[in-house]
Amino acid sequence: MTLAALTLHAASDTLRRRECSSVELTEAVLARIAASDENIRAYLTVDRQGARDQARQADKLLSENKSDSPLLGVPLALKDNFLTRGLKTTCASKILGDFVPPYDATTVAKLRNAGAVIVGKTNLDEFAMGSSAENSAFHPTRNPWDGARVPGGSSGGSAAAVAADECIAALGTDTGGSIRQPAACCGIVGLKPSYGRVSRYGIIAFASSMDQVGPMTKDVRDSALLLEAIAGHDPADATSVQRPVPKYSEALTGGVKGLRLGVPREYFVAGMAPEVEQAVRRAIAELEKQGARIEDISLPHTSYAVAVYYIIATAEASSNLARYDGMRYGHRAEAADLNDTYMLSREEGFGAEVKRRIMLGTYALSAGYYEAYYLKAQRVRALIKRDFDQAFASCDAIVTPTMPTTAFKIGEKTQDPLQMYLSDIYTISVNLAGLPAISLPCGFDKAGLPIGLQIIGKPFDEATILRVAYAYEQATECHTMKPEDRG
Amino acid sequence: MNYEPVIGLEVHAQLLTDSKIFCGCSTRFGAEPNANTCPVCIGLPGVLPVLNRKVVEFALRAGLATHCEITRASRLARKNYFYPDLPKGYQISQYELPICEHGYIDIEVSGATKRVRLTRIHMEEDAGKNIHDQHGDSSLVDLNRAGVPLLEIVSEPDLRSADEAVSYLKTLRAIVQFLGVCDGNMEEGSFRCDANVSVRPAGSDRLGTKIEIKNLNSFKAIEKAIAFEIERQSDVLSGGGQLVQETRLWDEHREETRSMRSKESAHDYRYFPDPDLLPLVINADWIAEVRAGLPELPAARKARFMQGYQLPAYEAELLTSRKDIADYFEEAVTAHANAKAVANWIVGDLFRVLKEQKLDEEFYIDRWPVAAERLGELVRLIDQGKISGKIAKTVFAEMLSSGKSPQQIVSDKGLEQVSDRSSIEIEIDRVLAANGKQVEQYKSGNDKIFGYLVGQVMKATGGKANPQTVNNLLRAKLQ
């Protein structure tokens, strides 16, 4: 096994045992990128020089034994909607094509302080809007398991980079499933923490009331470690909560014996691929075998989730994206007057999906429609949240599929946005309710494509879903599979 | 037909916080363009607002001082529109749930008290400033002001004349000044106002077509603009014409209002709660704490001035029209406790000088030509009989030009009042000797001559002789 294939915790142990240096580890990852990213195209920017400098710095700290951070010297990738000081941040949009931020996102600063090596910025659907990583202004990313397929989205670049060993682990953002859905497509672990658990400061906003930063890793322990490093209150983010951060990595063991796991009947419906359903059912059976009590539960407002999401997310996005107007940074069109400068800059700078969502959101908020759309959606959102509150009265976590299908083919759904929107049908409710959820591999379909299992937790109970995920992972082999083993 | 004006005012008061409403940048006026900016207030990608607690406290102070109900769970909302001075493409303001509602203030209108209701007080951020025509054919943007905290104070349409509007604004300005939440400086724009004016046939209870007047930055402009609008609108209606709802600008030079683009009124701001900021929950303890810490307000201070210093209502009103004036008065009285005389000097001589020097609308008390303590000292010299009231006028003029203390001026120029009998007697003897004819006339019964002789003695002493002593001695000599 090459160094680049190591998990975060294994890489950290290897560095601590001096079996390799951070520079060697970083070179291995850079070599891997050089070898495979021409096909996969997970990255938008690879910061070779910066990564080497940071690795040398990390080696110095490692030799001085001054830091006990498990991230010290470990090469990580960031979705290109995290602001990185001095390193181009595009959000996969032409409108920010040459934008170099003057400051680091809070999570990026935390990674840097922990000594992590930031290798580069990964591809995404423009402004994190999409479920396939095809809606990038620059190029689509390919699924490492099958180059004809999408890696999922919007954090498709981060998912593909982790799956292809082009980094040790990565961070993504999840507004309606953008971490978990590509994690499922790429056979890795993706964790969306509770809303408010991780700072959003310095993340290019898509939908402020749902966006959340989370880890994308090769196994569950890595997710726990990475979450530990980025979680916590940030005075610069008014929506981040003041709650102590548990030692997630120490809460993994203990198994599922006696835990009550809810299985919502509304999540197993027509339209999902039979192989996905079978794999998820097998996973549930495995958890039951380990001593979990499986409860049949109902989340009655599930069918409204996609509609509600596309009202609220687009409304917030239409406002959040207003600042990209060509005035202070980013793309500015040459035009005759002020109004035309606005219109043309945005016309040229934004892609079709972004424009579609801005228009939807603008409409939903406009006078005369606000009550019918935005306010109504907020009311239904409250009902969806209440569904979960009621469900959690009788269970400790909820187990569902992450996606109704495995990764689809590139181009297959780009002509039909509504079809594309449905690929997040199992993940969206979680964002509307602000809950934590994790996706981890639970099998493969006949074509050898990974299938994701989603575990949803109570608010701020990341520890329980990590424990359930770890128990499942330890009993199975899925997470050890690599795309090249596919056969 | 007679028309009745209906006026409501929207006041923007810039808050006296050190930092902006959603970031730590300075709010200092007059800095280099864009010096007081950071990623948050210039709306870079990824930034988030964090509400300045002081702004909320100031809003509570203003709300409690104006008898408002405090909204226990209010919200900040986004007002969406594009403009180069608006970096995020939206202004964070309050909409459906402002922090304060349903208050009132009492104003004095021709001797009577009138209650003006407040619809709401809400918090919001200011925008930046566009600077045109300085750089070829492009415009420049200064974002120093972007994110500076404002209170918007909206009245009900309870005002019925330009005078009432001005009285309301002066009262409101005094309140926010006394509260220490706003300096009230209209020239620098930290207290600015838009007026909604309509007219209707007298006696009607229906509202006429509302015209908004913007750009009002002095009491004079407000008064003239409202008066102009009332007349303009009445003329249009009398002539059988129709008014359209629009926004008009006050043109200072031509002294008239003129129409802004009417597109403005068709704007759809697409307000919605700002998802970056959680609902603002204000607990009862905080309200109680702010209430307990409210300073003495203008009305209370006026009452105290009338009772404690025995001032007439008119003086007390003038002295409490601004906090700096009230403070100045009390400082002068601390230096010398003759409130009535101090008040007279301020309301009379000092106000006249401030007006002449165009300092009466400004808020730099440190630029006033006479320090409060020195004014007190001047009055003390009179009360001590060291100078006469007449000499005091000379000393005051000298204080203005030289900046010296009154005592200094009196000593330097030898202006001290002479009460010493023997030196006055010498002067009297000289005057009597030189005016034999007049002395004869007096003795033959012409009493008016006495005044003339007193005048001659005063003249001979350079005005410094104590007039009472002169009187007494002269009477004795002439017997």
Side-chain angles (χ1 to χ4, degrees), chain A residues 306 310 353 356 360 413-424:
Chain A
V306 174
Y310 277 96
E353 182 61 25
R356 183 154 41 236
L360 265 172
K413 296 190 180 179
T414 44
Q415 295 314 304
D416 189 350
L418 288 180
Q419 270 303 308
M420 181 85 89
Y421 295 171
L422 291 176
S423 61
D424 293 337

Short mmCIF file of all heavy atoms in Angstrom, two decimals, chain A residues 306 310 353 356 360 413-424:
data_model
loop_
_atom_site.label_atom_id
_atom_site.label_comp_id
_atom_site.label_asym_id
_atom_site.label_seq_id
_atom_site.Cartn_x
_atom_site.Cartn_y
_atom_site.Cartn_z
N VAL A 306 -38.23 17.96 -0.39
CA VAL A 306 -37.52 18.48 -1.56
C VAL A 306 -38.11 19.83 -1.98
O VAL A 306 -37.38 20.79 -2.26
CB VAL A 306 -37.56 17.46 -2.72
CG1 VAL A 306 -36.96 18.07 -3.99
CG2 VAL A 306 -36.78 16.21 -2.33
N TYR A 310 -36.13 23.47 -1.86
CA TYR A 310 -35.85 24.28 -3.04
C TYR A 310 -36.48 25.67 -2.97
O TYR A 310 -36.11 26.55 -3.73
CB TYR A 310 -36.19 23.53 -4.34
CG TYR A 310 -35.02 22.63 -4.69
CD1 TYR A 310 -35.01 21.29 -4.31
CD2 TYR A 310 -33.88 23.14 -5.29
CE1 TYR A 310 -33.91 20.48 -4.55
CE2 TYR A 310 -32.77 22.35 -5.54
CZ TYR A 310 -32.79 21.03 -5.17
OH TYR A 310 -31.70 20.25 -5.39
N GLU A 353 -27.27 26.62 -13.77
CA GLU A 353 -27.95 26.12 -12.56
C GLU A 353 -28.03 27.23 -11.49
O GLU A 353 -29.04 27.37 -10.82
CB GLU A 353 -27.21 24.89 -12.01
CG GLU A 353 -27.84 24.27 -10.77
CD GLU A 353 -29.28 23.77 -11.00
OE1 GLU A 353 -29.63 23.46 -12.16
OE2 GLU A 353 -30.05 23.72 -10.03
N ARG A 356 -30.67 29.61 -12.52
CA ARG A 356 -31.99 29.00 -12.30
C ARG A 356 -32.39 29.19 -10.83
O ARG A 356 -33.50 29.58 -10.51
CB ARG A 356 -31.92 27.52 -12.66
CG ARG A 356 -33.22 26.79 -12.54
CD ARG A 356 -33.30 25.57 -13.47
NE ARG A 356 -32.07 24.78 -13.54
CZ ARG A 356 -31.43 24.49 -14.67
NH1 ARG A 356 -31.88 24.92 -15.83
NH2 ARG A 356 -30.33 23.76 -14.65
N LEU A 360 -35.43 31.33 -9.12
CA LEU A 360 -36.42 30.67 -8.26
C LEU A 360 -36.53 31.39 -6.91
O LEU A 360 -37.63 31.69 -6.44
CB LEU A 360 -35.98 29.23 -7.98
CG LEU A 360 -36.53 28.13 -8.86
CD1 LEU A 360 -35.81 26.82 -8.55
CD2 LEU A 360 -38.03 27.97 -8.59
N LYS A 413 -28.33 13.32 -16.14
CA LYS A 413 -29.42 14.09 -15.53
C LYS A 413 -29.28 15.59 -15.73
O LYS A 413 -30.07 16.36 -15.19
CB LYS A 413 -29.50 13.78 -14.03
CG LYS A 413 -29.85 12.32 -13.78
CD LYS A 413 -30.17 12.04 -12.34
CE LYS A 413 -30.51 10.56 -12.18
NZ LYS A 413 -30.82 10.20 -10.80
N THR A 414 -28.26 16.00 -16.48
CA THR A 414 -28.03 17.45 -16.59
C THR A 414 -29.15 18.14 -17.35
O THR A 414 -29.38 19.33 -17.16
CB THR A 414 -26.70 17.76 -17.28
OG1 THR A 414 -26.57 16.90 -18.40
CG2 THR A 414 -25.52 17.56 -16.35
N GLN A 415 -29.86 17.41 -18.20
CA GLN A 415 -30.93 18.05 -18.96
C GLN A 415 -32.24 18.09 -18.18
O GLN A 415 -33.21 18.68 -18.62
CB GLN A 415 -31.15 17.32 -20.30
CG GLN A 415 -29.97 17.41 -21.25
CD GLN A 415 -29.41 18.83 -21.35
OE1 GLN A 415 -30.13 19.76 -21.68
NE2 GLN A 415 -28.12 19.00 -21.05
N ASP A 416 -32.25 17.44 -17.03
CA ASP A 416 -33.49 17.37 -16.26
C ASP A 416 -33.21 17.72 -14.79
O ASP A 416 -33.02 16.84 -13.96
CB ASP A 416 -34.07 15.96 -16.38
CG ASP A 416 -35.48 15.90 -15.79
OD1 ASP A 416 -35.90 16.88 -15.13
OD2 ASP A 416 -36.14 14.87 -15.98
N PRO A 417 -33.20 19.01 -14.50
CA PRO A 417 -32.84 19.44 -13.15
C PRO A 417 -33.70 18.77 -12.08
O PRO A 417 -33.20 18.42 -11.01
CB PRO A 417 -33.11 20.95 -13.18
CG PRO A 417 -33.11 21.34 -14.60
CD PRO A 417 -33.51 20.14 -15.39
N LEU A 418 -34.98 18.55 -12.36
CA LEU A 418 -35.85 17.97 -11.33
C LEU A 418 -35.40 16.56 -10.98
O LEU A 418 -35.41 16.16 -9.82
CB LEU A 418 -37.31 17.98 -11.79
CG LEU A 418 -37.96 19.37 -11.81
CD1 LEU A 418 -39.41 19.27 -12.27
CD2 LEU A 418 -37.87 20.04 -10.44
N GLN A 419 -35.01 15.78 -11.99
CA GLN A 419 -34.47 14.44 -11.74
C GLN A 419 -33.23 14.52 -10.87
O GLN A 419 -33.05 13.74 -9.93
CB GLN A 419 -34.12 13.74 -13.07
CG GLN A 419 -35.28 12.94 -13.67
CD GLN A 419 -35.78 11.90 -12.68
OE1 GLN A 419 -35.00 11.11 -12.15
NE2 GLN A 419 -37.09 11.92 -12.43
N MET A 420 -32.38 15.49 -11.20
CA MET A 420 -31.14 15.69 -10.44
C MET A 420 -31.47 16.00 -8.98
O MET A 420 -30.87 15.46 -8.06
CB MET A 420 -30.34 16.84 -11.06
CG MET A 420 -29.02 17.13 -10.38
SD MET A 420 -27.68 16.08 -10.98
CE MET A 420 -27.07 17.06 -12.34
N TYR A 421 -32.48 16.87 -8.77
CA TYR A 421 -32.83 17.27 -7.41
C TYR A 421 -33.25 16.06 -6.56
O TYR A 421 -33.05 16.04 -5.35
CB TYR A 421 -33.98 18.30 -7.40
CG TYR A 421 -33.63 19.65 -8.05
CD1 TYR A 421 -34.61 20.60 -8.28
CD2 TYR A 421 -32.32 19.96 -8.43
CE1 TYR A 421 -34.31 21.83 -8.87
CE2 TYR A 421 -32.01 21.17 -9.01
CZ TYR A 421 -33.01 22.10 -9.25
OH TYR A 421 -32.70 23.31 -9.83
N LEU A 422 -33.83 15.07 -7.22
CA LEU A 422 -34.34 13.92 -6.45
C LEU A 422 -33.23 13.02 -5.92
O LEU A 422 -33.48 12.17 -5.06
CB LEU A 422 -35.30 13.10 -7.32
CG LEU A 422 -36.63 13.82 -7.62
CD1 LEU A 422 -37.49 13.00 -8.57
CD2 LEU A 422 -37.39 14.12 -6.33
N SER A 423 -32.01 13.20 -6.39
CA SER A 423 -30.94 12.35 -5.87
C SER A 423 -30.58 12.71 -4.43
O SER A 423 -29.92 11.95 -3.75
CB SER A 423 -29.70 12.40 -6.78
OG SER A 423 -29.21 13.71 -6.84
N ASP A 424 -31.07 13.88 -3.96
CA ASP A 424 -30.82 14.27 -2.56
C ASP A 424 -32.03 14.04 -1.67
O ASP A 424 -32.12 14.56 -0.57
CB ASP A 424 -30.43 15.76 -2.49
CG ASP A 424 -29.09 16.04 -3.15
OD1 ASP A 424 -28.28 15.10 -3.25
OD2 ASP A 424 -28.87 17.18 -3.57
#
